[in-house]
Amino acid sequence: MTQKAKWKRKLILQGAASVFIRKGYNATTMQDIVEECGISRGGLYLYFDSTETIFYTLLMENSQSMELDFMHMMAESQSFREIMECFFDEQQAELFHAEQSMMTATYEFFLAHKSEQDKRFLQEQYDRSVTSLLRVLEYGVARNEVRFHDPEQIVRHIILSIEGIRIYTVSVGVSHNMIEGQIEMLKSLVMGFEHRFGMRGDSEC
Amino acid sequence: MTQKAKWKRKLILQGAASVFIRKGYNATTMQDIVEECGISRGGLYLYFDSTETIFYTLLMENSQSMELDFMHMMAESQSFREIMECFFDEQQAELFHAEQSMMTATYEFFLAHKSEQDKRFLQEQYDRSVTSLLRVLEYGVARNEVRFHDPEQIVRHIILSIEGIRIYTVSVGVSHNMIEGQIEMLKSLVMGFEHRFGMRGDSEC
């Protein structure tokens, strides 16, 4: 792909994300994305054949970006604690601004897609998050920063609890206070309860 | 309400639940419920004016039933540990048979209902679950069976994590093994990590 094509593809994905955030998954059409991006219909179809493909791509690139962040931070020998603080800070920021995220669209997508192929895709996304977060926990163990009885179970627990907070955030609506409390609790679970008394706010994400 | 009316109301709710489980929330009509229950249309409208009201009632009675179970078990002086085992066993059983529960319908309902009144209803349901589970934790503390740094945060964490497992169960699908692992983890959190070595399977739910 040429540099220009890459740039155009990125522009389309960003525009599409804005529409999905505003209108949800089901109500978004290719025409909406054409209008949002200010490109021609033919131009859009050169890159993506449907809103479904675009949505898939957005979900995939989102989870890849988390994976890449982790890999960079580990390559730079950042401490386990710093990496986890960054991860949880990002999750918290997303939950604080749920109305500006693709959460609602993602739930619509989740519920509408019941084919075996779609389930497999979602399963792969989930497994991928588990694997990349697990790698960070193992890194923390290798650095002697933490110990875990069953790290995989803890990772699954983190991902599932954040999902639970998400569904409540988009449906019922929860206070920032409560989100903070829950994120704090997950931090305690993964970093040990003494983390509250450790140095905070001095790490750079 | 006469005994016969109570019985008929219960029959309608049961029939409606079956339809919601089978067809989801959006696709269910009053006609479906008429057919399922084998009653007349007029007969149905004597009790409920819409599928929405029926759905509300089902959600409400479901959370009241949990509350009542807790109250009975506490009135009978069952141990905190027994009560929590029962609670988690029930949650696990529901997750194991997600296709026979109203989970998917509930998510549809959650996502479709965005009016302030509906949000308030969902909020109340959530607060109610928090309050009744919190009462059980306080009961455990009063009986000197457990101690908690922040019981309310733990209760919210339990409810939100179970919600997270639910959404994954109905969308991605998770193995019984993983559900068991996660429930085990929540048990550890609330009953202390030694619970695994305590007596199990000898309590009656």
Side-chain angles (χ1 to χ4, degrees):
Chain A
M1 210 185 272
T2 66
Q3 200 55 43
K4 198 185 156 197
K6 272 189 198 162
W7 172 82
K8 203 154 183 191
R9 186 175 172 280
K10 199 174 168 185
L11 186 100
I12 293 171
L13 288 173
Q14 281 172 348
S18 306
V19 186
F20 285 130
I21 290 167
R22 212 167 56 234
K23 301 190 69 174
Y25 173 72
N26 294 329
T28 297
T29 64
M30 288 296 266
Q31 187 55 35
D32 292 327
I33 298 169
V34 160
E35 282 164 24
E36 180 79 21
C37 302
I39 53 170
S40 69
R41 202 171 167 83
L44 174 58
Y45 277 90
L46 273 179
Y47 294 86
F48 297 102
D49 60 1
S50 64
T51 54
E52 193 178 353
T53 314
I54 301 178
F55 202 79
Y56 263 40
T57 310
L58 283 167
L59 288 183
M60 217 146 54
E61 297 205 344
N62 193 27
S63 72
Q64 279 167 356
S65 123
M66 185 181 95
E67 216 177 328
L68 282 175
D69 286 350
F70 285 153
M71 277 162 62
H72 282 150
M73 288 189 277
M74 290 189 283
E76 283 170 359
S77 294
Q78 289 202 40
S79 73
F80 169 72
R81 202 150 290 210
E82 278 169 337
I83 301 176
M84 291 311 298
E85 288 280 356
C86 287
F87 168 74
F88 283 119
D89 285 352
E90 251 180 56
Q91 299 299 319
Q92 184 166 300
E94 198 186 350
L95 289 163
F96 275 9
H97 307 286
E99 71 290 352
Q100 289 155 41
S101 84
M102 296 222 310
M103 278 183 212
T104 305
T106 306
Y107 286 117
E108 273 184 51
F109 182 81
F110 261 52
L111 291 171
H113 285 72
K114 298 195 186 297
S115 80
E116 278 315 304
Q117 193 202 329
D118 290 323
K119 279 210 167 176
R120 218 165 27 244
F121 171 79
L122 290 170
Q123 180 76 58
E124 279 162 17
Q125 289 297 103
Y126 170 64
D127 290 344
R128 188 163 194 155
S129 314
V130 171
T131 308
S132 70
L133 198 50
L134 187 54
R135 214 169 287 150
V136 181
L137 264 66
E138 285 162 354
Y139 169 86
V141 171
R143 283 174 59 103
N144 270 319
E145 284 191 61
V146 267
R147 278 190 217 175
F148 299 107
H149 169 63
D150 189 342
E152 189 175 326
Q153 209 61 261
I154 289 181
V155 165
R156 291 189 188 278
H157 185 70
I158 292 169
I159 294 172
L160 294 167
S161 325
I162 292 176
E163 207 56 49
I165 309 174
R166 277 200 185 124
I167 189 100
Y168 269 89
T169 304
V170 301
S171 55
V172 178
V174 294
S175 71
H176 283 198
N177 229 337
M178 204 199 92
I179 293 172
E180 269 170 359
Q182 289 299 312
I183 292 284
E184 204 53 37
M185 190 145 181
L186 290 175
K187 282 186 185 175
S188 304
L189 202 68
V190 80
M191 295 196 268
F193 286 90
E194 76 283 9
H195 92 99
R196 296 176 198 223
F197 311 107
M199 303 281 275
R200 288 192 57 196
D202 52 351
S203 63
E204 282 174 42
C205 297
Chain B
M1 209 183 275
T2 66
Q3 200 53 44
K4 198 186 156 194
K6 273 188 198 162
W7 173 82
K8 203 155 181 187
R9 186 175 173 280
K10 199 174 168 187
L11 186 100
I12 293 171
L13 288 172
Q14 280 172 348
S18 305
V19 185
F20 285 130
I21 290 167
R22 212 167 54 234
K23 300 189 70 175
Y25 174 71
N26 294 330
T28 296
T29 64
M30 288 297 264
Q31 187 56 35
D32 293 327
I33 297 169
V34 160
E35 282 165 24
E36 180 79 19
C37 301
I39 53 170
S40 69
R41 203 172 167 84
L44 175 57
Y45 277 89
L46 273 178
Y47 294 86
F48 298 102
D49 60 0
S50 65
T51 54
E52 193 177 353
T53 314
I54 301 178
F55 202 79
Y56 263 39
T57 310
L58 282 167
L59 288 183
M60 216 146 55
E61 297 206 343
N62 194 26
S63 71
Q64 279 168 355
S65 124
M66 185 181 94
E67 215 176 329
L68 281 175
D69 286 349
F70 285 153
M71 278 164 61
H72 282 149
M73 288 189 277
M74 290 189 283
E76 284 171 0
S77 294
Q78 289 203 39
S79 73
F80 168 72
R81 201 150 289 210
E82 278 169 338
I83 300 175
M84 291 311 297
E85 287 281 354
C86 287
F87 168 75
F88 284 119
D89 285 352
E90 251 180 57
Q91 299 299 319
Q92 184 165 301
E94 199 187 349
L95 289 163
F96 275 9
H97 306 286
E99 70 291 352
Q100 289 153 44
S101 83
M102 296 221 311
M103 278 183 210
T104 305
T106 306
Y107 286 117
E108 273 184 51
F109 182 81
F110 262 51
L111 292 170
H113 286 71
K114 299 194 187 296
S115 80
E116 278 315 304
Q117 193 202 329
D118 290 322
K119 279 209 168 177
R120 216 162 32 241
F121 171 78
L122 290 170
Q123 180 77 60
E124 279 163 16
Q125 290 296 105
Y126 171 64
D127 290 345
R128 187 165 195 154
S129 312
V130 171
T131 308
S132 70
L133 199 48
L134 187 54
R135 214 169 289 149
V136 180
L137 264 65
E138 286 163 353
Y139 169 85
V141 171
R143 282 174 58 105
N144 270 318
E145 283 190 62
V146 267
R147 279 189 217 177
F148 299 107
H149 170 63
D150 188 343
E152 190 175 324
Q153 209 61 261
I154 289 182
V155 164
R156 290 189 188 277
H157 184 70
I158 292 169
I159 293 172
L160 294 166
S161 327
I162 292 176
E163 208 55 48
I165 310 175
R166 276 201 187 122
I167 189 99
Y168 269 88
T169 303
V170 301
S171 56
V172 178
V174 294
S175 71
H176 282 198
N177 230 337
M178 205 200 91
I179 294 172
E180 268 171 359
Q182 290 299 312
I183 292 283
E184 203 55 35
M185 190 145 180
L186 290 174
K187 281 186 186 176
S188 304
L189 203 69
V190 80
M191 296 196 266
F193 284 90
E194 77 284 8
H195 91 99
R196 295 177 199 224
F197 311 108
M199 302 281 275
R200 287 192 59 195
D202 52 352
S203 63
E204 283 174 41
C205 298

